[in-house]
Amino acid sequence: MNLEYTIFIDYAPTILLGFWLTLKIVVCAIAMGIPLGLFLALGRRSNFVFLSFLSTSFIEIFRNTPFIIQVFLFYYVLPFYGLRLSAEYVGILALAAFGSAYFAEIIRAGIDAVPKGQLESARAIGMTDWQSMKNIILPQTLSIVIPPLTNQTLTLIKESAILSTITVHELTMTGLMVQGETFRPFEVFIMVALLYWALNETIATIMRRFEKNINKNRNTGPTNNSSAILKQNENTR
Amino acid sequence: MTLNFLELKGLHKKFGDITALNNVSLNVSKGEVIFIIGPSGCGKSTLLRAVNWLTPPDKGEVWLEGDIVGSLSSKLTIEESKLLNSFRAKMGMVFQQFNVWPHLNALENVVRAQMVVAKRNKAESEVKALKILDEVGLSDKINEWPDNLSGGQKQRLAIARSLAMDPILMLLDEPTSALDPELVGEVLSVLRRLVNNGMTMLIVTHELGFASKFGDRIVFMDGGEIIEEGIPEKILKTPKTQRLKMFLEKLNITSFKQ
């Protein structure tokens, strides 16, 4: 098969524009999704039955339905309730909601992986529930959850391709359009795939470094647990 | 009648079908060192954990210096749980598994609760932490991470963490049981210092030698009840009940085997 090299040059600006939108959407979705995930994780563990019920329902609904269906629902149903948003914003919301359900489960597993005695010793010295969480439990959760959170982030970035179905001009949509103009699927989708790969590889590398930084002072610690959670997380997909 | 320093009144606790505490009452005077002994599962750890409401009793009351700890009902109001936290800060607790905080170095382990709970500033907390770490013999380990410490050092760090809160009562739940035999001594010597300083202590232990030497009183529990209590001499040499006799015999047999 002959490669048409000029396509790489001629259409690079168009494709990069799509990539730029993907990047913006994904960054927004993650910036919303991780805090929401933390909130849901704490909510699910909460003693307040109502909060726990709401968080659990949210997580289970978004974890157990296809993302593409969620996207359609957000896109077609929200306007009925007077919420008219552009496709990009709908995409961000859908991606954040979907991601947060997974983030929540990862964070919850991470909190549960911290030995029970840690919370007890914090409570026994007079810390409130929230002080114990903030000072003792969550910092230890962080090093446990970084690998599976990274994993989920990469998945989310790839899932963002589905937003092309609701007319968001992100990377995949742009690729489809360029291929419609050029009839050169191989060149176009190689470009698209390379850009997804580059973005994910960059994130993975940064997170690996971050993880090492956190654990560098500690000989053992919960790093052994994290691979178990990672596996568990993959199995639940 | 003088006010009791610590008063436990009719404590009950059930875990499912198992009765961990059955109508346990105990009075403790200031400066008293009480050792709680008994076979495993007899409720001695539950008793200790009921004192600071880490395991809230189903029924019964805990009074410290004339104030009620926790609540008269088993559910806490917001006001009561605030008060409970301030009581807990005054009651240092030491666990069998140390439970030092692995994400903080030794100094920070002792500093953190001072800042968060006692609202001291950083400088003040650090000065205090350094002084206490020196007292427990860890002044050369202040920047060390808990994972790099031995069991004995971890337990001394845990004791230091509690002492930094200026406790008026220490609750120690088998503080030496998880330690290698050669590391027990260093923890006991820290505890000995506390005894000499007049700290009021409740200690769950199997170290009968230590208990007989430093205890003002020994409490023997079995089946969630206090079976016998008294001065160490009396409890260990002339046990009245059959259950205590059997317990002491078993301990002697195992120590012979060692």
Side-chain angles (χ1 to χ4, degrees):
Chain A
M1 186 177 177
N2 289 329
L3 281 179
E4 189 85 56
Y5 290 106
T6 50
I7 291 194
F8 288 110
I9 295 152
D10 293 348
Y11 286 93
T14 317
I15 296 277
L16 279 174
L17 218 56
F19 177 69
W20 178 232
L21 185 59
T22 288
L23 195 63
K24 281 194 285 190
I25 287 176
V26 162
V27 167
C28 289
I30 291 166
M32 287 165 69
I34 290 183
L36 182 58
L38 175 61
F39 177 80
L40 289 169
L42 295 175
R44 190 168 190 169
R45 298 178 88 261
S46 162
N47 290 329
F48 297 108
V49 181
F50 185 64
L51 185 62
S52 164
F53 174 76
L54 276 187
S55 307
T56 307
S57 313
F58 185 96
I59 292 167
E60 293 308 327
I61 288 169
F62 281 95
R63 224 157 56 113
N64 297 325
T65 51
F67 180 56
I68 192 164
I69 304 296
Q70 294 168 17
V71 170
F72 285 151
L73 282 173
F74 269 84
Y75 189 58
Y76 293 114
V77 175
L78 283 183
F80 273 106
Y81 293 95
L83 207 58
R84 272 172 218 289
L85 298 173
S86 70
E88 286 85 359
Y89 287 110
V90 171
I92 290 172
L93 282 184
L95 211 53
F98 174 74
S100 71
Y102 282 97
F103 291 141
E105 284 301 275
I106 291 167
I107 293 169
R108 189 173 67 98
I111 290 173
D112 289 345
V114 176
K116 210 175 102 221
Q118 293 291 315
L119 181 63
E120 286 187 342
S121 59
R123 297 308 311 270
I125 209 160
M127 289 191 194
T128 63
D129 241 336
W130 173 240
Q131 286 170 339
S132 316
M133 263 296 157
K134 191 174 142 234
N135 288 284
I136 307 303
I137 306 301
L138 289 180
Q140 295 186 55
T141 305
L142 185 65
S143 61
I144 301 174
V145 299
I146 284 177
L149 275 189
T150 306
N151 205 26
Q152 186 54 40
T153 300
L154 304 188
T155 305
L156 206 61
I157 290 171
K158 289 178 283 176
E159 292 286 344
S160 74
I162 285 181
L163 300 183
S164 60
T165 55
I166 56 163
T167 74
V168 179
H169 287 244
E170 44 68 74
L171 183 53
T172 301
M173 178 71 155
T174 314
L176 286 166
M177 284 164 54
V178 172
Q179 115 84 11
E181 259 175 60
T182 58
F183 297 105
R184 300 295 300 190
F186 191 66
E187 287 85 348
V188 171
F189 290 121
I190 277 285
M191 253 195 288
V192 169
L194 273 175
L195 284 169
Y196 277 117
W197 173 81
L199 176 57
N200 278 353
E201 194 61 47
T202 310
I203 289 174
T205 309
I206 292 171
M207 295 312 275
R208 260 198 299 275
R209 211 163 284 172
F210 184 46
E211 189 195 349
K212 233 186 232 164
N213 218 11
I214 286 182
N215 289 327
K216 77 172 172 211
N217 296 312
R218 297 167 50 184
N219 277 350
T220 49
T223 33
N224 300 335
N225 290 343
S226 54
S227 57
I229 293 175
L230 189 69
K231 259 183 214 142
Q232 182 200 335
N233 180 45
E234 274 175 352
N235 289 340
T236 53
R237 286 267 161 73
Chain B
M1 193 193 109
T2 52
L3 206 61
N4 275 306
F5 177 70
L6 175 72
E7 202 172 340
L8 312 178
K9 285 187 196 168
L11 296 177
H12 285 263
K13 182 71 191 180
K14 268 189 170 184
F15 296 109
D17 289 338
I18 299 156
T19 306
L21 294 178
N22 186 14
N23 199 18
V24 175
S25 298
L26 186 68
N27 289 332
V28 182
S29 323
K30 195 159 177 55
E32 219 180 350
V33 178
I34 295 185
F35 284 88
I36 304 168
I37 61 170
S40 60
C42 73
K44 51 194 195 303
S45 290
T46 313
L47 176 64
L48 211 59
R49 295 164 60 94
V51 174
N52 66 356
W53 267 58
L54 212 52
T55 304
D58 298 333
K59 226 168 79 186
E61 298 163 19
V62 178
W63 293 80
L64 182 70
E65 293 188 309
D67 293 315
I68 189 150
V69 177
S71 171
L72 287 170
S73 61
S74 59
K75 199 109 173 116
L76 292 171
T77 63
I78 293 169
E79 196 52 42
E80 281 170 337
S81 62
K82 260 190 205 156
L83 269 175
L84 178 58
N85 287 325
S86 68
F87 280 122
R88 281 176 173 163
K90 288 198 258 179
M91 301 191 267
M93 188 162 210
V94 174
F95 299 85
Q96 184 178 358
Q97 296 299 335
F98 329 129
N99 295 343
V100 287
W101 298 323
H103 62 299
L104 303 174
N105 69 23
L107 182 66
E108 288 167 332
N109 256 279
V110 185
V111 164
R112 187 57 65 96
Q114 292 189 66
M115 293 176 68
V116 173
V117 180
K119 309 284 182 210
R120 294 178 191 143
N121 66 36
K122 196 171 163 97
E124 196 186 344
S125 308
E126 281 182 354
V127 169
K128 183 151 191 110
L130 288 172
K131 183 172 159 272
I132 290 171
L133 283 169
D134 187 44
E135 282 171 13
V136 301
L138 289 175
S139 50
D140 56 334
K141 301 283 180 195
I142 53 171
N143 292 319
E144 202 59 82
W145 295 87
D147 288 337
N148 299 333
L149 298 178
S150 72
Q153 290 166 339
K154 278 185 202 167
Q155 193 59 298
R156 284 185 283 149
L157 177 59
I159 293 170
R161 179 177 67 182
S162 294
L163 289 178
M165 304 299 290
D166 300 316
I168 56 174
L169 167 70
M170 289 289 282
L171 308 167
L172 299 107
D173 190 2
E174 307 202 25
T176 58
S177 300
L179 296 175
D180 291 337
E182 77 268 23
L183 300 178
V184 169
E186 61 188 69
V187 172
L188 290 187
S189 80
V190 168
L191 296 183
R192 196 175 302 141
R193 265 184 85 136
L194 288 178
V195 175
N196 292 338
N197 289 343
M199 177 67 78
T200 315
M201 298 206 272
L202 288 182
I203 308 176
V204 170
T205 192
H206 293 296
E207 297 279 337
L208 291 189
F210 188 68
S212 71
K213 210 164 163 196
F214 291 97
D216 294 315
R217 230 190 317 161
I218 293 183
V219 171
F220 171 66
M221 287 182 72
D222 195 7
E225 292 172 32
I226 294 180
I227 305 295
E228 245 182 273
E229 60 173 300
I231 57 166
E233 186 90 342
K234 218 172 73 188
I235 293 288
L236 299 178
K237 298 243 168 82
T238 55
K240 275 184 285 188
T241 56
Q242 193 57 34
R243 279 200 267 186
L244 177 54
K245 270 180 206 154
M246 274 167 59
F247 175 70
L248 292 175
E249 262 167 36
K250 259 188 216 156
L251 281 191
N252 280 335
I253 289 165
T254 45
S255 54
F256 266 128
K257 274 183 184 162
Q258 281 171 356

